[in-house]
Amino acid sequence: GENVEQHPSTLSVQEGDSAVIKCTYSDSASNYFPWYKQELGKRPQLIIDIRSNVGEKKDQRIAVTLNKTAKHFSLHITETQPEDSAVYFCAASNGNEKLTFGTGTRLTIIP
Amino acid sequence: KAGVTQTPRYLIKTRGQQVTLSCSPISGHRSVSWYQQTPGQGLQFLFEYFSETQRNKGNFPGRFSGRQFSNSRSEMNVSTLELGDSALYLCASSVTGGGYGYTFGSGTRLTVV
């Protein structure tokens, strides 16, 4: 089955700087890669997703890049703000089976 | 529109008991998936239901079971509870399932004592 690895497990960034979280996946059939943000005590929320026919997608300060050859995708957050502090999960799916999650990255924005 | 509703929000049970959790998906969503979230293991897939049929199943023991009703509401049951079953149980609904466009509920926090 699919295996998703996520790094780093914790990340501290000065407010205003950029943050990058990286994931790798094992199943070459995976074609959908969402990212979820989970604030303390709250539900995971989808913040951005990308499909395998696209190399990059942006939404304001958030961007995701995908390298299908390397089976690698990344989340980039620019101009970080205190409200970006949360746990971020990457995930992968082939559309027919479950969504497999990475182990999460705890992002802390330092004021 | 209403989001995904999970009940109850909190549960405390004793070892050996059984528990039933409920998940009402977003209107029009036919897929409901269940995940167990623990600090050490992250989000682990339990099962997915689509139009009342179990479509996918994770690697959990048979004590974990579920079902889906004709209105797409889903229930998850855990029998013979163990201390290690303490976790946040999340359900997610989507139109098509298969991992696409999941919207999560707020979860049920189960504590087994």
Side-chain angles (χ1 to χ4, degrees):
Chain A
E2 175 67 278
N3 182 50
V4 177
E5 294 191 359
Q6 182 171 349
H7 300 281
S9 57
T10 61
L11 179 61
S12 294
V13 173
Q14 287 291 140
E15 183 178 353
D17 287 350
S18 296
V20 180
I21 302 170
K22 299 182 179 182
C23 290
T24 59
Y25 61 99
S26 61
D27 185 358
S28 57
S30 289
N31 57 18
Y32 176 66
F33 307 92
W35 287 86
Y36 284 82
K37 174 184 180 182
Q38 187 175 29
E39 297 177 68
L40 190 62
K42 297 193 175 181
R43 63 189 179 96
Q45 289 195 287
L46 179 67
I47 56 172
I48 195 167
D49 56 15
I50 191 169
R51 294 182 186 254
S52 59
N53 58 345
V54 175
E56 183 176 2
K57 183 176 179 181
K58 287 184 179 180
D59 183 3
Q60 299 182 342
R61 298 186 296 109
I62 294 173
V64 57
T65 58
L66 171 65
N67 182 328
K68 286 177 57 181
T69 303
K71 295 182 187 171
H72 169 277
F73 59 114
S74 300
L75 177 72
H76 304 253
I77 305 174
T78 59
E79 300 174 7
T80 53
Q81 300 169 4
E83 54 264 37
D84 294 330
S85 292
V87 178
Y88 291 81
F89 292 94
C90 63
S93 170
N94 64 17
N96 294 317
E97 298 177 1
K98 63 184 179 182
L99 190 60
T100 300
F101 286 86
T103 49
T105 296
R106 182 173 300 280
L107 175 63
T108 302
I109 306 302
I110 304 167
Chain B
K1 61 183 179 181
V4 179
T5 302
Q6 290 189 247
T7 57
R9 288 296 309 276
Y10 303 93
L11 267 178
I12 300 176
K13 289 286 187 179
T14 303
R15 256 185 318 173
Q17 287 187 311
Q18 74 163 11
V19 67
T20 299
L21 313 181
S22 178
C23 174
S24 294
I26 292 171
S27 178
H29 285 195
R30 296 165 65 188
S31 166
V32 173
S33 294
W34 289 88
Y35 284 82
Q36 181 194 66
Q37 185 175 29
T38 58
Q41 298 295 319
L43 285 148
Q44 299 291 310
F45 174 75
L46 283 152
F47 25 66
E48 179 194 9
Y49 286 87
F50 186 87
S51 293
E52 302 180 66
T53 300
Q54 187 180 87
R55 193 155 71 170
N56 291 298
K57 189 176 189 302
N59 298 321
F60 278 80
R63 300 185 296 107
F64 292 81
S65 63
R67 59 178 175 168
Q68 187 180 33
F69 301 95
S70 58
N71 62 358
S72 294
R73 188 178 72 86
S74 177
E75 287 182 348
M76 189 190 102
N77 185 274
V78 188
S79 63
T80 319
L81 284 165
E82 301 177 359
L83 295 178
D85 297 332
S86 296
L88 179 66
Y89 290 88
L90 293 160
C91 77
S93 78
S94 72
V95 175
T96 59
Y100 294 143
Y102 278 10
T103 299
F104 280 91
S106 297
T108 294
R109 172 76 61 184
L110 173 64
T111 302
V112 182
V113 298

